[in-house]
Amino acid sequence: MLENRRILLIVAGGIAAVKVPDLIRRLRERGAHVRCILTKGGAQFVTPLTLAALSGDKCYQELFDLKDESEMGHIRLSREADIILVAPATADIMAKMVAGMADDLATTALLATDKPVMIAPSMNVMMWTHPATQSNLQILKTREVKVVGPSAGDLACGEVGNGRMAEVPEIIAALTRFFQKNDGQGPLTGYKALVTSGPTHEPIDPVRYIANRSSGKQGHAVAAALAELGAQVTLVSGPTHEADPDGVNVVHVETAKQMMKACNDALPAEIVVCAAAVADWSPENAKQKMKKEAGKTPALTLAENPDILATLSQPGPARPNLVVGFAAETENLIENAKTKRAKKNCDWIVANDVSPGSGAFGGDNNTVHLVTADGVESWPTLRKRAVAERLAERIAASFQRHL
Ligand code: C5P
């Protein structure tokens, strides 16, 4: 997939620049052409000679290099690339990209390009979590900039946390997926997928509601992973703090009934993944704010909500080929998941332990078991994004088998 792809690699000033020689080597092994721009900061960590030797091309550094400008200006650098990869992408270069600054060759090339851009952020955890960087990240995402990493772990500054540049294989995988998708060649290209995510809010009156602790992290990650594999994804999401994933059609809803309607509107689809924590009941809500009256506690009358997973799994000509549910359980995980799979008539159940201490609700990790007609697969504890990628790969493989 990377054969003959032209990658303009911008190396900014972060310690992760030391991973770049290996990245170039691996890209060239796969037949990619790599041309490097090295920023002043980047040159503190890796030499232009190393990059030139490994890429087999000149390493570009200066904006106003008369010879380069006549032979190879910044415009031509970007024109002759299929993608621009910024690795490592520092907080500084991300901020400059957002602001549209062009004070060196790297930022000028980034501003002057109409080519796809991918960044591999790398920085101290405080810089990464700073609202300025997070807001820049969101802006870059809205401009279709692809983002790979960062991951959590030991940082060069001695702190531990999110901010490590994605590892070389992860960057290669992201580039591969990008080109696959670009060529309309993902394993799920041509398939429609519907994913539900997040909690629902069930109003008691105009200002109060019943909710649950679902963060939407797992469902959103599943939607993103299916889209990465080429599926055309509609994500029906309850209220969450998660950003809309790249390349996914997101429908925002609040209540279970709205979620049911949005799902029906999104059909037909070959793949359905119900990851939302849908409220089982909704109160018969008051039109006006309920007033507090001394000595009186109001009774809530609850009505059953539609079971979206069970509804979408009903047999019929329009039933999606593969319906996957989640089972969040605090005890007898696998047994309950098997029962749920049969009761709801779905094809697979992803069972996860949400007992207090598991960290699954709201956390970044998940320990899951995949329950199918063939049996139970127990996966190791993984980041929710990795669970989503693995699930998407399994879904793709199941469709490949039926081709
Ligand atoms: O029955 P329970 O809530 O444990 O089942 C969980 C699974 O069913 C999840 O996949 C969830 O998205 C789905 N579900 C649903 N609609 C409901 C309740 C649960 O789609 N009303």
Side-chain angles (χ1 to χ4, degrees):
M1 201 18 88
L2 295 179
E3 182 83 39
N4 286 327
R5 305 293 181 172
R6 298 166 307 170
I7 297 164
L8 180 61
L9 175 58
I10 294 181
V11 183
I15 182 70
V18 300
K19 293 187 195 168
V20 166
D22 187 40
L23 174 63
I24 298 174
R25 226 179 264 129
R26 304 289 161 233
L27 288 170
R28 293 202 66 204
E29 269 171 20
R30 285 163 177 77
H33 302 289
V34 184
R35 179 174 273 161
C36 296
I37 294 181
L38 183 60
T39 68
K40 270 207 178 70
Q44 301 293 317
F45 297 94
V46 64
T47 71
L49 204 59
T50 308
L51 299 188
L54 290 171
S55 67
D57 200 337
K58 182 180 150 70
C59 172
Y60 295 85
Q61 287 180 279
E62 298 299 330
L63 181 55
F64 299 111
D65 179 325
L66 278 184
K67 192 157 177 290
D68 282 351
E69 281 298 318
S70 56
E71 284 179 5
M72 176 63 77
H74 55 279
I75 308 278
R76 224 178 107 195
L77 276 171
S78 92
R79 195 179 299 146
E80 292 185 358
D82 297 316
I83 189 167
I84 302 185
L85 170 66
V86 189
T90 56
D92 177 68
I93 202 160
M94 285 171 64
K96 284 180 172 156
M97 286 167 77
V98 167
M101 286 169 70
D103 60 356
D104 65 1
L105 181 60
T107 47
T108 309
L110 282 163
L111 192 62
T113 193
D114 59 355
K115 294 297 167 67
V117 176
M118 182 181 287
I119 60 172
S122 165
M123 66 198 72
N124 161 276
V125 59
M126 301 301 280
M127 294 170 83
W128 174 248
T129 50
H130 194 285
T133 306
Q134 287 303 307
S135 130
N136 287 338
L137 178 71
Q138 293 315 323
I139 293 171
L140 290 174
K141 281 186 177 173
T142 61
R143 292 183 196 161
E144 311 269 296
V145 170
K146 326 267 165 258
V147 184
V148 51
S151 58
D154 293 332
L155 301 175
C157 51
E159 290 187 56
V160 178
N162 227 347
R164 274 172 72 92
M165 187 170 86
E167 296 300 329
V168 169
E170 217 183 313
I171 298 176
I172 304 258
L175 285 168
T176 305
R177 279 200 297 270
F178 165 78
F179 284 117
Q180 271 179 340
K181 211 171 145 194
N182 216 36
D183 293 1
Q185 271 192 23
L188 288 176
T189 300
Y191 290 98
K192 274 181 75 183
L194 164 64
V195 180
T196 69
S197 181
T200 61
H201 285 183
E202 308 295 334
I204 295 171
D205 68 13
V207 296
R208 304 180 179 93
Y209 57 84
I210 297 178
N212 60 62
R213 295 188 194 283
S214 167
S215 64
K217 284 183 185 171
Q218 188 62 79
H220 277 58
V222 170
L226 290 170
E228 282 292 329
L229 297 188
Q232 187 189 331
V233 183
T234 299
L235 169 65
V236 181
S237 173
T240 75
H241 296 293
E242 292 296 293
D244 291 353
D246 269 357
V248 169
N249 170 37
V250 186
V251 182
H252 295 276
V253 297
E254 289 205 352
T255 66
K257 286 195 191 79
Q258 291 166 359
M259 189 172 272
M260 182 76 254
K261 179 175 184 311
C263 286
N264 282 328
D265 290 348
L267 293 177
E270 286 84 7
I271 303 158
V272 169
V273 181
C274 289
V278 186
D280 291 314
W281 309 282
S282 55
E284 278 174 6
N285 64 81
K287 296 273 174 294
Q288 304 298 332
K289 186 182 168 199
M290 289 160 66
K291 296 268 182 299
K292 189 162 76 174
E293 284 180 52
K296 277 198 177 173
T297 48
L300 286 182
T301 310
L302 300 175
E304 201 172 336
N305 274 334
D307 189 312
I308 299 170
L309 175 61
T311 308
L312 300 179
S313 298
Q314 271 168 14
R319 186 191 188 279
N321 306 47
L322 182 69
V323 186
V324 184
F326 273 69
E329 301 284 349
T330 54
E331 56 183 2
N332 299 335
L333 188 57
I334 292 172
E335 278 321 301
N336 284 338
K338 283 182 177 167
T339 315
K340 197 161 288 179
R341 180 175 164 273
K343 201 173 92 193
K344 304 217 184 196
N345 199 36
C346 62
D347 302 293
W348 298 355
I349 284 271
V350 182
N352 57 335
D353 183 357
V354 292
S355 53
S358 71
F361 252 137
D364 288 322
N365 290 336
N366 215 350
T367 314
V368 309
H369 310 267
L370 182 65
V371 181
T372 69
D374 300 331
V376 181
E377 258 178 48
S378 295
W379 295 357
T381 299
L382 295 167
R383 298 185 71 71
K384 286 183 175 169
R385 202 163 45 186
V387 169
E389 281 164 12
R390 207 158 157 168
L391 183 64
E393 296 287 352
R394 282 299 307 266
I395 291 173
S398 87
F399 278 90
Q400 238 91 66
R401 271 208 303 275
H402 294 115
L403 279 182

